[in-house]
Amino acid sequence: MPIATVNPANGETLRTFDALGEEEIERRISAAASTFRTYRTTGFSERARLLNRAADLLDEDQQDIARTMTTEMGKPLAAARAEAAKCAKAMRWYAAQAERLLADEHPDDADVKDSGATKALVRYRPLGTVLAVMPWNFPLWQVVRFAAPALMAGNTALLKHASNVPQTALYLGDLFSRAGFPDGCFQTLLVGSGAIEAILRDPRIVAATLTGSEPAGRSVASVAGDEIKKTVLELGGSDPYLVLPTADVAKAAETAVTARVQNNGQSCIAAKRFIVHTDVYDEFAERFTARMRELTVGDPLEESTDVGPLSSEQGRSDIEELVDDAVGQGATALCGGRRPAHLGEGLERGWFYEPTVLAGITPDMRIHREETFGPVATLYRAADLDEALDIANDTSFGLSSNVWTRDEAEMDRCVRDLEAGGVFFNGMTASHPALPFGGVKHSGYGRELAGHGIREFCNATTVWYGPGPDAR
């Protein structure tokens, strides 16, 4: 895949970039390793000063970087601005909280006395240079939610971003440099996916984090495993959205629209499978479908646009294949199910797809098993909570989940039985700096954000003190 900015709204190639050569890759890896030796000794206050400066610069750049993201991958401009603001918020959160999150842990002296220690503690120390392999769908947020904690912990970072968002990738490297981080602290590598293995096998790279597809995760994890290096993987999701009899159905349906089409439906944590109790199914389906049908599809740079294009022609083709397979096997398209017509001058070659609701899904359909990365929702009718949970867990993924109910017993049951990294009641899944983020099953392992995320790339060091020379 070429490293290029191709506007998904019209298919126009705006800029192309040459991949870095081996000599330049070597120079940047060497700089990262060298910088780590000194940067690791800086205090939290200095790291926080630098990260807060990066947040301030990002706020100043918000409009420009939002337009860059929209032009590169198609998200509506308002969503791009919100993404930039969220990144600045996360930077400030980690700048304020990192020292507390990585404070020494002191077990009770009585608990360690039988080991012969006079005292013991756990200290979190940075690991070194971490390789981040990041996707295009949230091209700023996916990187910042790794970089902010990694840099505050004292690590250095190398970013291999998706090849269709090179200008956003270069912006990130420039942002941390302008903020005053030492040379080599955070660097962008414009390279193709074929270069990842050699970089990851370099002994100066101590760990890796990847957000992306299941095949990409398998590839990086296998190389890292062979090299015995730590990885954190956040892969796909096919999140269930349960609506039970005591739910506020009107609010559940309204929220469901945003939960499904956020980022043009291209989000791992977007709700994708809507599992509705039979008592409220008809009302939910009617309200949900009506709102999906009302959404404005068009130029993502227009403020009135709700849903922009898919990020690539292949992405749209993948969606079309899933929908066609389902309809061919008996599913009903309550709305959408095709490319939109008459979007306006200049948009005819864009990779748009109508917001779609499919009912009558069966386990034999591909869309029941595979992740749907676009504005397509699948509707299921469940006779009771048991069946709803069975449908929800009938997937290889386990990223997050949403449940609408006022019944506390049902809430407890869902927390116990849903196979997911998160359970969100009466609202939609969202990531937040203070809450851990990640999944189970084929959605990956490890956690980002919160204290869990900053400690992923730290050496949890046991420090043991024996009796001194004057001990009796």
Side-chain angles (χ1 to χ4, degrees), residues 92-165:
R92 294 187 176 100
W93 190 86
Y94 270 110
Q97 301 297 329
E99 185 170 11
R100 175 184 65 82
L101 296 172
L102 297 180
D104 290 348
E105 296 177 3
H106 297 271
D108 192 301
D109 289 344
D111 290 336
V112 298
K113 189 173 294 184
D114 62 358
S115 72
T118 56
K119 69 173 181 177
L121 57 90
V122 177
R123 177 159 298 167
Y124 291 97
R125 299 186 292 160
L127 287 180
T129 298
V130 182
L131 173 66
V133 181
M134 294 288 111
W136 48 263
N137 57 334
F138 291 94
L140 211 62
W141 172 240
Q142 302 279 12
V143 178
V144 166
R145 75 184 192 192
F146 151 73
L151 293 172
M152 283 304 302
N155 295 299
T156 57
L158 291 171
L159 168 65
K160 189 284 179 215
H161 218 325
S163 293
N164 62 331
V165 289

Side-chain angles (χ1 to χ4, degrees), residues 402-424:
N402 310 260
V403 182
W404 288 75
T405 179
R406 296 185 178 96
D407 187 313
E408 290 188 6
E410 289 179 340
M411 292 181 182
D412 290 342
R413 175 83 185 281
C414 289
V415 171
R416 187 191 73 182
D417 291 345
L418 279 170
E419 297 168 355
V423 184
F424 285 68

Side-chain angles (χ1 to χ4, degrees), residues 80-96:
R81 288 196 299 266
E83 181 173 341
K86 183 175 184 176
C87 290
K89 175 182 177 180
M91 289 177 178
R92 294 187 176 100
W93 190 86
Y94 270 110

